[in-house]
Amino acid sequence: MKLEELKARQVAARKARDPIAAAYTRLIGAADNKLRAQNAPAEEKVIAAVLRADLAGLNERAAQLLTLGRDAEAQAEQAERDLLGTLVADLDAGMLSDADLSAEITRLIQGGATNIGAVMQGLKATGRTYDGAAASRLARAQLA
């Protein structure tokens, strides 16, 4: 997921006067700050980390509220938790699993990729999202 996609969803929510627009605004701010701080070219990876951290924080807060008997407050934040859960699930659905990643690397090596750079370039050309560290580890193991 790109920052521009989050911004487009936020604008649509604001136009619809959906209260969830505030959640998008907060996510955009957090992702933008993290991208600037890290000077990160891996925008999708940073946004995924922000979404997961935010969801974990909201789930922890909801558990604490329920423990304290503040069910109404926990329920009030349910829409935001649902939104983040959906966004994280969408990210996970589009990401290559380690097994798929390994199969793709094997295909690239059989197709003539002879070094780590060629394998990584081939993976990037697929247009799919994947864990770069896992891809590097798997490619190095297969090329050895």
Side-chain angles (χ1 to χ4, degrees), residues 77-92:
E77 295 176 352
Q78 185 63 45
E80 192 170 346
R81 287 194 311 276
D82 291 345
L83 167 72
L84 288 172
T86 301
L87 293 174
V88 168
D90 288 349
L91 285 172
D92 291 342

Side-chain angles (χ1 to χ4, degrees), residues 79-127:
E80 192 170 346
R81 287 194 311 276
D82 291 345
L83 167 72
L84 288 172
T86 301
L87 293 174
V88 168
D90 288 349
L91 285 172
D92 291 342
M95 188 170 227
L96 287 173
S97 68
D98 279 0
D100 292 338
L101 195 53
S102 185
E104 185 65 26
I105 290 168
T106 301
R107 187 188 66 75
L108 290 167
I109 291 171
Q110 289 172 349
T114 58
N115 59 44
I116 190 75
V119 170
M120 298 306 275
Q121 187 176 8
L123 286 173
K124 187 174 182 180
T126 66

Side-chain angles (χ1 to χ4, degrees), residues 49-66:
V50 167
L51 291 175
R52 284 187 176 91
D54 217 44
L55 179 59
L58 284 175
N59 285 336
E60 185 178 321
R61 177 177 157 74
Q64 290 171 349
L65 288 172
L66 291 172

